[in-house]
Structure formats: C-alpha cells, structure tokens
Amino acid sequence: MSVTLSATLAANEDIERRRRAGERVLHLAFGEAGLPVHPALRHKLVAASDLNGYGPVAGAAELRKAAAGYWTRRGLVTEPDLVVCGPGSKSLLYGLLLAIGGDVVLTMPSWVSYAAQADLVGSRPIMVPAPPGEGGAPDPDRVASAVLHARSQGRTVRSVLVTLPDNPTGRLATPQTIGRLVEVARELDLTIISDEIYRDLVHDTQTPFLSPADLAPERTVITTGLSKSLALGGWRIGVARLPNQDLLGRMLAIASEIWSAPAAPVQEAATYAFTEPPELVERVVRSRRLHGVVAHAVHAAFVEAGASVPLPQGGFYLYPDLGYLQAGGSVEVTKLLLNDHGIAVLPGQAFGDDPSAARVRVATSLMYGESPEERLTALTSCDPLSLPWIAANLEHLSTGLRNLSAQRTAPRRSRRATLLPTPVHG
C-alpha cells in the first residue's frame, strides 16, 4: 500500500509556500468554498462551546432529525434512525468503503480521495469513464462489462460511487445515465454510494437532478455535508443517509473505533443549518450564483485560449483539455502553468485520468478575494466580475493562457512561414 499526501492538500501547501516567498500565484488548485461563515452559524457554535461530552456515535438526535428533514424536503423521505453523522463526509465515505467491503467502481476521472481511500481499505478501484460530455457517474454499460470481467477473475465488486454534481469536471450526470446505472446496480447487486455534497450548488436550479436514491432507495447511500454549500470545510461535519439497519450497524461499529462522535458544538451549528432557516437559504442562493458566474467566466477564458472544456453545471470546478498546446500530459501542462505563468491547477492524472492527456482540474472558488471583507462583497455584489480583485484574477488567468498559447504555437508558425512562398503584390 502506497498512499501519499492528498494532491489537493499538497498543492495548497506548495502554493502557500510560493506566496510567502513573494510569488504571484493564482490559486485554482484547491476546492475550498472560499466564502466567510454566516454570522448565525458562528453564534450557534459559540453558544454550544460548553458541550464537551462525546455524545452518541451516530450523532446527536436533533442533528439526525434535521438531516432527515433536509432529504425529505428534496423528495427523499428519510427516517432519522438511518442517518449517521461524522467529522466530514470524507470520513463517512471512508467508513462506508470499510463497511461495504469489496472493490468499488469509480468514475474516471473522480475526486482524488476516492481511489486513495479504496487503497487504504484494501479495495482495488475499477476506473470507468463517464459518458461523453458528462461527469460524476461512470458509463453504465461499461460498468456492467467491467464488473463482470473483474468477477470472472475472482474479484469481489460490491459498490459503485457517483458524485452529483461532479468534482473534478463540474458536470452533472443526466437522469438517463443515473437511471441506467441504477438498473445495472440492481442486476449486479451493487451498493450505490452517492456523494451529493455539491447538490445545492447546481448553477441552474432548473437543471434536472436525479439521485440514485430516488430510484433505488434500498441500495443507495447518500453523503453530504456543509463544507461546500455553507463554506464550513474547517468545521468538519457530514451526514450519511443509509438504506438499511444492517449497513447502519456496520457503520456505527467502524465509527466507534475511528471518530467516536463528531464534535458536539459543531453538531449544534449543523443542526441549525440542516433545518434550512431563511437566512441560510439566502446564503446558499447567493453562493450558488457567485460560484456559477465566476466558473462561467473562467470557462470563457479557457475557451478563448483554445481549450476544449465542457460548460460547468455545478460547484466551482472546470476540467479543460489543453491538448491543443502539444505540451505533454497533465503533469507537464500543470508545471508550465505554475512555473511560467503563475497559474496553479491540478493535473488530471491526480484524479485517475490518463497521464498522457493534457486535462487539468480548475477550482475557481479562491478567486473571490484575499480577505473576508472582499469575499463577502463578492457574495453580495450584483456584478462580482466587475470587482477589481476578481477582474484582476480573471485578467491574470487570460494573460497567462494567451502567453502560454503564444509560446507553444510560435515555433510552428515561424516554421510554416519559412515554407510559404513570398507573396507578390502589384
């Protein structure tokens, strides 16, 4: 087993070192929501700061009830007794891989920690590409053939994991893909793990969203948290909706040995958040709009530079293909962007993609400002792209992409010029 520091965390630390050394780096490598904490949440946390007991392994009863209400309002009637809370959805995902066991099918590309966690628990991930133009869910027909092939070799495959909407691509799997994937899961007796931490950040609320739990509640686990929709990444709180008591029992046994219980004061604040009071609903609406506006502006910059990149549909990610540069694979392109142009992204290779492909993951959420005041201004602005610091970040990106394109294409243009006949005028 060989597990290294998470690529996202490693990149974040490297960029901070460069910035402290005086380098100008546009930080597009870390998927943090990039927004201040709502004051009401801070007040709830402070008011609960004297709670220092361990509490139930599954989480406080009021938090489980609030999370159940959150899903019920989205059409997924949920019993609090089938909700488990943990110190972040990342911990819950790790516990689920342990509880379910066997090998897991992942989308290629997919979030860096999925494959790393599978390795930690002794599972061998099966990487299956998404349908063309989509992300977050593997192509169902290819899942079927991959699982049958793996089982013919004696492997035990028990689960498939989807991300709705997706990190790294920013795309949302279509209802048709989810429907067919559910059929395959039933045929092959696979548990579906649906990571829906970006669900409330789908840019266009009219975009059809279908959770596997809508079609197959008996075999679907949903995980979510508050790190993206309410920018509480550092508070570490997540919840999971389980399909049955058997899996719940295994999860609680694992949780009791790994994290015991989530931090009690954070659970109090999370209980308030999952009840979705009007002031927090408004905060999520504003966040969704800001993420979408900036992500679409970054998309336009990459398209103008010549990259092939699907339009992002949710969260704050894009996944451009810079193959037009003919600069090598994703690692080489990432180094060029950072070292020569001060643009930090992550290589697609870190997400399980083909190392020879020049695809990179771009996170746009740290463009909103350097201070809490700037970020709050971005959140409340009717035209965030006009704010000087966001405009400067977009200009830095566009200039770097233009210069990189010019560097990579100039030799070919000059060579072509020497081969063309001199035009005759007159």
Side-chain angles (χ1 to χ4, degrees):
M1 180 185 302
S2 177
V3 177
T4 58
L5 184 67
S6 167
T8 53
L9 297 175
N12 191 53
E13 292 179 7
D14 178 47
I15 292 160
E16 290 306 316
R17 284 194 295 269
R18 288 172 180 264
R19 284 179 160 181
R20 286 195 297 270
E23 290 187 42
R24 169 74 165 98
V25 179
L26 179 60
H27 196 345
L28 303 176
F30 195 48
E32 189 165 51
L35 293 169
V37 177
H38 193 285
L41 288 168
R42 291 202 305 270
H43 295 155
K44 292 291 182 181
L45 186 70
V46 171
S49 60
D50 61 340
L51 298 178
N52 61 348
Y54 282 107
V57 174
E62 287 302 309
L63 174 53
R64 297 165 73 194
K65 180 181 177 181
Y70 166 89
W71 279 304
T72 298
R73 288 189 293 276
R74 285 154 180 77
L76 295 167
V77 177
T78 303
E79 294 298 326
D81 287 348
L82 287 175
V83 175
V84 176
C85 312
S89 62
K90 191 172 186 177
S91 301
L92 290 167
L93 287 163
Y94 179 73
L96 284 166
L97 291 176
L98 279 170
I100 295 169
D103 292 340
V104 58
V105 179
L106 302 177
T107 311
M108 185 179 77
S110 56
W111 182 44
V112 296
S113 289
Y114 296 147
Q117 287 190 349
D119 191 28
L120 283 169
V121 304
S123 170
R124 287 185 291 168
I126 299 171
M127 307 300 294
V128 176
E134 295 186 38
D139 186 304
D141 294 328
R142 297 178 73 167
V143 168
S145 59
V147 171
L148 290 173
H149 176 71
R151 286 176 174 172
S152 71
Q153 296 182 319
R155 294 172 62 179
T156 301
V157 186
R158 291 182 178 158
S159 61
V160 56
L161 198 160
V162 301
T163 316
L164 307 173
D166 185 39
N167 169 14
T169 66
R171 299 290 290 174
L172 177 63
T174 65
Q176 293 77 18
T177 294
I178 295 300
R180 176 62 184 135
L181 185 63
V182 165
E183 293 175 359
V184 170
R186 282 201 176 107
E187 292 166 4
L188 300 177
D189 192 23
L190 298 173
T191 297
I192 304 170
I193 304 171
S194 188
D195 182 349
E196 299 180 9
I197 199 164
Y198 298 98
R199 173 171 183 159
D200 295 332
L201 297 181
V202 176
H203 301 156
D204 183 353
T205 56
Q206 300 304 308
T207 302
F209 183 101
L210 184 67
S211 170
D214 288 312
L215 304 177
E218 80 285 353
R219 64 176 61 251
T220 302
V221 182
I222 302 177
T223 63
T224 191
L226 302 174
S227 61
K228 310 304 178 183
S229 61
L230 287 170
L232 299 181
W235 289 21
R236 308 313 303 142
I237 190 71
V239 291
R241 179 187 190 272
L242 278 67
N244 54 62
Q245 290 290 334
D246 180 56
L247 183 55
L248 174 74
R250 296 200 299 274
M251 272 292 289
L252 293 181
I254 290 165
S256 70
E257 301 296 353
I258 297 179
W259 62 77
S260 298
V266 178
Q267 290 192 69
E268 288 290 306
T271 298
Y272 173 71
F274 277 116
T275 60
E276 299 184 285
E279 61 270 28
L280 295 189
V281 171
E282 180 189 13
R283 170 59 64 93
V284 173
V285 169
R286 288 183 178 276
S287 301
R288 181 191 305 128
R289 177 182 177 273
L290 177 62
H291 294 320
V293 166
V294 175
H296 285 215
V298 172
H299 173 268
F302 274 95
V303 169
E304 183 180 4
S308 173
V309 52
L311 187 69
Q313 294 174 290
F316 28 83
Y317 302 113
L318 301 92
Y319 201 65
D321 188 330
L322 304 179
Y324 74 99
L325 295 172
Q326 297 184 8
S330 62
V331 171
E332 290 77 14
V333 168
T334 298
K335 290 178 179 177
L336 277 174
L337 284 168
L338 179 58
N339 294 330
D340 296 352
H341 304 284
I343 299 171
V345 298
L346 285 182
Q349 180 178 341
F351 299 85
D353 207 348
D354 179 355
S356 66
R359 290 184 284 267
V360 299
R361 203 286 302 270
V362 177
T364 62
S365 49
L366 295 184
M367 298 177 71
Y368 306 151
E370 294 297 323
S371 68
E373 292 76 19
E374 287 184 348
R375 294 169 191 147
L376 186 59
T377 299
L379 185 67
T380 57
S381 172
C382 60
D383 184 15
L385 301 183
S386 68
L387 296 173
W389 54 92
I390 294 181
N393 284 331
L394 288 169
E395 180 57 31
H396 181 92
L397 173 64
S398 296
T399 299
L401 292 175
R402 283 196 302 268
N403 291 342
L404 178 59
S405 297
Q407 289 173 1
R408 299 303 304 178
T409 58
R412 285 182 288 150
R413 284 203 300 269
S414 62
R415 172 171 168 74
R416 182 173 179 268
T418 64
L419 297 177
L420 292 175
T422 303
V424 177
H425 301 283

